[in-house]
């Protein structure tokens, strides 16, 4: 996690650094700091809290932030509490080297002991302060250049990093390096922008270089960038790409929060996920699903003995939906694993197994490590990612982008429905390859998929009604979410949304499982959100509703528009359009996203930046 930023060029660095950090706050926002360099001096300001707090502190303390070179950081604490001292940048003992870091140095403790034995002292509890001092130690002991000292030090450490470091006596050079955590360089003729992702610099340049793992760049004012391999100093040829991000996609526009904007964007984002992939062939009126990553690996999918889907958080919930779909349409056994669990239990992987990794950010450390392990064991790894060019996307054997557009709110919304859309396409496509899916079902579901954006658009109209319900329940301490079959993972996702942005405790359960324990929680104060659409579980769900009502629980039921039976039994209904069971999660999740949003907003929470969380979890 953490966001890093840097600038070297001919303009004042501070405005870019401070505005860039605001755009990176989705990566962490518990403390922040900036250092700006001018000749052989630098000014540094750090604070606990957001980048706005930092801006205020700089203004009130009258810190001189003049200079055309600088670095900045927004933190998600790993080593040490969020406070001014643990905030980055960190400065070496001699005050000469100033560094920012995203990632974790796993062997920092052993290095710290050596440095302490050699007279170094530490102000903070961070692993970063250890690394900057290791670089200083190696530099001074051996009279190495900064470049060489950085390279040697990085070869000594275990862990993940993206760093930027400056020597105050040579502030015309910034050295950046990457292993595990992302780093993008924006390149203009006479200026360089450094950032954890390209969004902060898209207003300035469309030329981007994504550093790869094990690479370092020596960036000098008015000079060409020098790209090297960290391991052996081998010179590399920088491959500069053109950015294709639309600015409107990263602005809040008329919405109070990005999360609300992203919920409302779902008709469009799903259309983008489907674009060019669901094709109607006019002559035969046949519907074709076309996905390069699958088409070019047809035999791998046809011959797969087993599929394991690996992900975290909301992407894990989408994976559970994928399990239902893939098993149903392809008849291939599917397992779903938490990435963090998968990699530590020596999983049994056959060469004929397919591993699917799902990640919005494409940077989640646990998922990335699981992917690498699966590849080492010889599996074919297929990725479903949203962020183009992300580490996971670059490391898989083949994959598909969800094309949901940038998701800035920490709570996943449009990326979740885009992942489900891709999983539906994938399951239908493999089922067709293997001729195990009923032809009429295939055709009907493809046709219905085309109508999903319109159905979501219509579903969003219930927002006002949901707001009224939210006003009734925003003060409760516990919620239960129930669903069955393919809508059980939707219940899990609904409860995660509420928990993460409103801090109200919520549990998701398969509705029938309630009587095995969770029913003990039901009383007149407990709201139970239940997905009760007309599918094959309908009658069973009605029985569950009766059981809750017998214990005076308050029920908010997600029902189909034409349903009249459940309406009579429950406290509140939220109506959604009729939809096939297999595609229903794309619609049933919408009211749950809105409910979580409205409750959190009424509670006055910062919806886009919930406490303790960050958008991409790049630490294990
Ligand atoms: O970027 P990823 O999809 O790999 O992220 C996985 C989780 O960290 C993410 O889904 C998280 O649970 C969200 N905050 C949920 O809203």
């Amino acid at each position: 996690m953490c966001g890093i930023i840097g600038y070297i060029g001919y303009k004042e660095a501070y405005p870019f650094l401070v505005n860039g950090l605001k755009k990176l706050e989705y990566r962490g926002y518990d403390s922040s700091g900036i250092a700006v360099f001018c000749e052989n001096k630098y000014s540094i300001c750090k604070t606990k809290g957001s980048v706005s707090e930092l801006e205020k502190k700089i203004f009130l303390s009258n810190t001189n932030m003049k200079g055309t070179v600088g670095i900045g950081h927004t933190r998600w604490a790993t080593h040490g509490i969020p406070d001014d001292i643990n905030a980055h940048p960190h400065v070496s003992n001699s005050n000469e080297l100033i560094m920012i870091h995203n990632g974790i140095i796993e062997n920092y403790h052993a290095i710290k002991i050596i440095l302490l034995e050699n007279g170094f002292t530490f102000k903070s509890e961070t692993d970063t302060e250890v690394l900057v001092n290791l670089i200083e130690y190696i530099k001074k002991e051996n009279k190495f250049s900064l470049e060489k000292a950085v390279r040697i030090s990085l070869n000594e450490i275990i862990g993940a990093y993206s760093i930027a470091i400056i020597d105050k006596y040579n502030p015309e050079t910034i050295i950046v390096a990457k292993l595990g955590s992302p780093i993008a360089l924006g390149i203009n003729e006479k200026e360089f922008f450094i950032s954890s992702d390209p969004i902060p610099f898209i207003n300035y340049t469309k030329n981007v270089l994504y550093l790869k793992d094990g690479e370092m760049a020596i960036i000098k004012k008015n000079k060409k960038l020098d790209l090297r391999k960290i391991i052996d100093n081998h010179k590399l040829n920088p491959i500069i790409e053109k950015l294709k991000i639309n600015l409107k996609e990263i602005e809040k526009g008329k919405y109070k929060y990005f999360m609300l904007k992203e919920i409302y964007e779902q008709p469009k984002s799903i259309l983008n996920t489907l674009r060019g992939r669901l094709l109607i062939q006019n002559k035969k009126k046949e519907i074709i699903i076309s996905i390069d990553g699958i088409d070019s690996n047809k035999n791998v999918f046809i011959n797969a003995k087993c599929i394991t889907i690996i992900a975290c958080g909301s992407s894990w919930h989408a994976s559970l939906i994928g399990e239902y779909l893939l098993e149903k349409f392809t008849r291939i056994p599917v397992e779903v694993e938490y990435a963090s669990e998968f990699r530590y239990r020596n999983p049994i992987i056959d060469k004929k197994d397919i591993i699917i990794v799902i990640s919005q950010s494409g940077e989640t450390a646990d998922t990335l490590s699981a992917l690498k392990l699966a590849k080492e064991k010889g599996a074919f790894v297929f990725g479903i990612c949203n962020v183009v060019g992300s580490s996971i996307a670059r490391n898989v054997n083949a994959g598909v982008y969800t094309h949901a557009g940038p998701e800035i709110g920490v709570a996943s919304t449009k990326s979740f429905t885009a992942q489900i859309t891709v999983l539906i396409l994938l399951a239908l496509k493999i089922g067709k390859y293997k001729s195990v899916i009923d032809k009429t079902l295939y055709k009907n579901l493809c046709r219905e998929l085309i109508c999903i954006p319109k159905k979501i658009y219509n579903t969003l109209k219930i927002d006002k009604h949901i707001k009224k319900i939210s006003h009734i329940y925003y003060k409760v301490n516990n919620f239960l979410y129930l669903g069955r079959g393919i809508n059980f993972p939707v219940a899990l996702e609904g409860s995660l949304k509420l928990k993460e942005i409103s801090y109200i405790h919520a549990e998701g359960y398969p509705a029938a499982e309630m009587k095995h324990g969770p029913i003990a929680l039901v009383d007149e104060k407990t709201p139970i959100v239940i997905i009760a659409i007309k599918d094959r579980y309908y009658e069973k769900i009605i029985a569950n509703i009766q059981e809750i009502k017998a214990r005076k629980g308050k029920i908010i039921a997600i029902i189909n528009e034409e349903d009249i039976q459940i309406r009579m039994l429950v406290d509140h209904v939220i109506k959604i359009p009729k939809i096939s069971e297999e595609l229903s999660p794309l619609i049933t999740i919408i009211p749950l996203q809105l409910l979580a949003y409205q409750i959190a907003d009424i509670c006055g929470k910062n919806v886009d930046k919930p406490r303790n969380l960050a958008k991409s979890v790049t630490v294990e």
Side-chain angles (χ1 to χ4, degrees):
M1 342 265 261
C2 304
I4 67 166
I5 196 100
Y7 177 84
I8 180 161
Y10 60 95
K11 293 185 204 133
E12 284 299 317
Y14 178 68
F16 168 72
L17 299 176
V18 77
N19 292 322
L21 280 184
K22 285 182 185 167
K23 297 200 171 90
L24 291 176
E25 276 191 305
Y26 73 90
R27 303 182 63 85
Y29 34 82
D30 58 39
S31 48
S32 49
I34 286 181
V36 173
F37 297 75
C38 189
E39 292 167 0
N40 291 342
K41 291 198 184 110
Y42 67 90
S43 315
I44 189 165
C45 187
K46 315 200 283 184
T47 189
K48 177 181 174 186
S50 66
V51 180
S52 302
E53 303 286 326
L54 177 70
E55 219 177 356
K56 239 186 264 164
K57 189 169 173 181
I58 290 171
F59 177 75
L60 293 176
S61 61
N62 219 359
T63 311
N64 176 5
M65 283 286 171
K66 288 221 158 300
T68 54
V69 178
I71 50 179
H73 190 272
T74 178
R75 178 169 185 249
W76 185 86
T78 57
H79 296 66
I81 57 162
D83 63 11
D84 295 13
I85 294 172
N86 288 327
H88 298 215
H90 284 283
V91 179
S92 65
N93 274 199
S94 68
N95 273 324
E96 287 170 23
L97 305 182
I98 298 90
M99 190 175 96
I100 47 173
H101 165 222
N102 169 30
I104 288 187
I105 312 299
E106 285 171 17
N107 57 341
Y108 85 102
H109 190 66
I111 298 171
K112 191 170 182 175
I113 290 172
I114 298 170
L115 292 172
L116 285 168
E117 282 165 1
N118 281 281
F120 279 79
T121 56
F122 295 89
K123 296 189 193 99
S124 78
E125 297 155 83
T126 65
D127 48 348
T128 309
E129 196 187 6
V130 173
L131 179 56
V132 72
N133 280 305
L134 174 68
I135 297 171
E136 171 153 299
Y137 174 60
I138 290 180
K139 182 175 183 288
K140 295 212 162 179
E141 280 294 297
N142 303 289
K143 301 205 171 38
F144 284 164
S145 64
L146 177 63
E147 182 189 328
K148 191 163 180 182
V150 169
R151 190 159 39 77
I152 307 275
S153 307
L154 293 181
N155 279 317
E156 290 301 315
I157 62 166
I158 302 167
Y161 54 79
S162 56
I163 60 158
I165 182 165
I166 305 185
D167 179 342
K168 80 166 182 178
Y169 290 120
N170 183 16
E172 308 266 289
T173 302
I174 303 183
I175 296 179
V176 297
K178 165 184 164 35
L179 184 73
S181 309
I183 195 159
L185 302 178
I187 301 171
N188 267 344
E189 207 181 324
K190 289 190 173 160
E191 56 186 351
F192 292 93
F193 305 87
I194 299 156
S195 175
S196 296
D197 78 39
I199 288 176
F201 57 71
I202 48 174
N203 270 341
Y204 302 89
T205 181
K206 296 277 179 280
N207 302 322
V208 63
L209 169 70
Y210 293 100
L211 237 60
K212 296 200 183 77
D213 276 350
E215 289 181 355
M216 64 189 267
I218 299 99
I219 307 170
K220 294 193 170 161
K221 219 179 214 179
N222 297 325
K223 295 245 169 80
K224 282 219 165 123
L225 177 132
D226 185 7
L227 189 66
R228 304 265 167 176
K229 267 195 175 169
I230 297 168
I231 190 137
D232 56 7
N233 203 27
H234 178 77
K235 197 169 168 65
L236 299 161
N237 200 10
I239 298 170
I240 294 165
E241 300 171 35
K242 284 277 171 211
L243 277 173
K244 288 185 201 122
I245 301 175
N246 174 354
L247 267 182
K248 272 210 172 134
E249 290 179 329
I250 53 161
E251 280 160 8
K252 256 193 306 221
K254 62 177 184 187
Y255 295 94
K256 184 168 176 190
Y257 286 104
F258 277 107
M259 179 183 177
L260 189 62
K261 177 182 178 237
E262 287 153 8
I263 293 174
Y264 272 83
E265 267 174 0
Q266 288 174 108
K268 195 176 103 200
S269 55
I270 290 188
L271 204 63
N272 287 337
T273 309
L274 293 173
R275 198 182 303 282
R277 290 167 171 169
L278 201 57
L279 311 167
I280 304 187
Q281 287 219 326
N282 281 335
K283 274 190 194 155
K284 293 186 200 159
K285 288 260 182 239
E286 207 185 330
I287 304 186
I288 304 236
I289 295 171
S290 160
I291 300 178
D292 287 349
I294 309 175
D295 294 329
S296 48
N297 294 288
K298 185 174 170 181
N299 288 332
V300 182
F301 285 101
I302 290 178
N303 298 323
K305 268 181 36 192
C306 145
I307 296 177
T308 304
I309 316 182
I310 301 171
C312 304
S314 292
S315 299
W316 186 79
H317 296 152
S319 308
L320 292 176
I321 294 170
E323 179 180 19
Y324 282 84
L325 295 164
L326 284 159
E327 288 200 336
K328 178 160 190 185
F329 298 151
T330 71
R331 304 310 298 147
I332 304 171
V334 179
E335 291 291 331
V336 177
E337 299 253 13
Y338 283 115
S340 52
E341 292 296 316
F342 174 84
R343 58 172 302 226
Y344 286 108
R345 59 168 182 71
N346 195 9
I348 301 163
I349 300 171
D350 188 273
K351 294 223 167 26
K352 277 198 171 172
D353 289 354
I354 294 183
I355 303 285
I356 300 180
V357 287
I358 306 185
S359 173
Q360 185 288 128
S361 61
E363 300 295 345
T364 302
D366 286 322
T367 312
L368 187 59
S369 305
L371 175 175
K372 289 181 178 162
L373 175 72
K375 268 178 97 180
E376 271 163 35
K377 289 186 175 264
F380 173 84
V381 184
F382 187 83
I384 301 177
C385 293
N386 191 36
V387 177
V388 177
S390 53
S391 303
I392 292 178
R394 284 201 306 269
N395 274 283
V396 290
N397 296 99
V400 48
Y401 284 118
T402 49
H403 292 315
E407 189 177 69
I408 294 168
V410 163
S412 305
T413 51
K414 63 175 179 169
S415 67
F416 177 72
T417 46
Q419 289 166 348
I420 299 170
T421 307
V422 165
L423 286 161
I424 294 169
L425 292 174
L426 185 73
L428 289 172
K429 174 109 192 160
I430 306 173
K432 186 135 190 263
Y433 273 156
K434 295 186 70 185
S435 306
V436 290
I437 182 167
D438 176 79
K439 281 188 183 147
T440 317
L441 179 65
Y442 173 90
K443 210 161 74 188
N444 289 345
L445 289 177
C446 285
R447 287 196 189 288
E448 208 181 340
L449 255 184
I450 299 170
C451 306
I452 288 288
K454 180 86 189 78
K455 282 195 179 173
I456 295 184
Y457 177 81
N458 288 335
T459 308
L460 287 165
K461 292 181 188 158
I462 48 170
D463 195 6
K464 272 195 188 146
H465 174 57
I466 290 180
K467 195 169 181 172
K468 280 190 195 146
I469 298 177
S470 307
H471 272 286
I472 305 173
Y473 293 107
Y474 74 100
K475 282 190 180 153
V476 302
N477 295 324
N478 285 302
F479 263 83
L480 270 181
Y481 283 71
L482 304 176
R484 289 201 70 167
I486 200 164
N487 277 300
F488 158 54
V490 176
L492 290 178
E493 174 64 6
S495 71
L496 175 64
K497 289 291 86 105
L498 186 71
K499 266 190 280 233
E500 68 181 333
I501 60 170
S502 70
Y503 322 144
I504 295 173
H505 176 252
E507 293 274 352
Y509 271 98
E513 193 57 25
M514 190 186 58
K515 54 189 169 297
H516 299 286
I519 199 160
L521 295 171
V522 175
D523 61 18
E524 66 280 5
K525 286 191 223 108
T526 320
I528 292 120
V529 180
I530 184 157
I531 303 164
I533 57 167
K534 288 217 164 165
D535 56 15
R536 71 194 140 117
Y537 304 102
Y538 185 70
E539 299 301 334
K540 304 271 179 212
I541 288 266
I542 290 184
N544 297 139
I545 288 176
Q546 306 278 20
E547 287 156 14
I548 298 166
K549 282 321 287 179
R551 282 147 189 97
K552 298 196 171 69
K554 294 276 182 289
I555 299 185
I556 304 166
I558 315 296
I559 60 165
N560 287 124
E561 273 155 1
E562 73 282 2
D563 189 321
I564 40 172
Q565 203 178 343
I566 292 184
R567 213 180 290 180
M568 319 293 289
L569 302 173
V570 301
D571 300 87
H572 311 274
V573 290
I574 298 174
K575 292 187 232 161
I576 59 164
K578 196 164 185 287
I579 175 105
S580 297
E581 186 180 319
E582 293 85 351
L583 308 190
S584 61
L586 289 172
I587 305 294
T588 50
I589 189 59
I590 305 294
L592 305 193
Q593 293 171 342
L594 288 168
L595 184 69
Y597 171 82
Q598 294 298 357
I599 291 179
D601 189 36
I602 295 166
C603 292
K605 301 293 187 250
N606 185 342
V607 172
D608 284 338
K609 291 178 194 160
R611 70 180 180 204
N612 305 339
L613 293 176
K615 184 74 183 160
S616 30
V617 185
T618 56
V619 293
E620 285 177 22

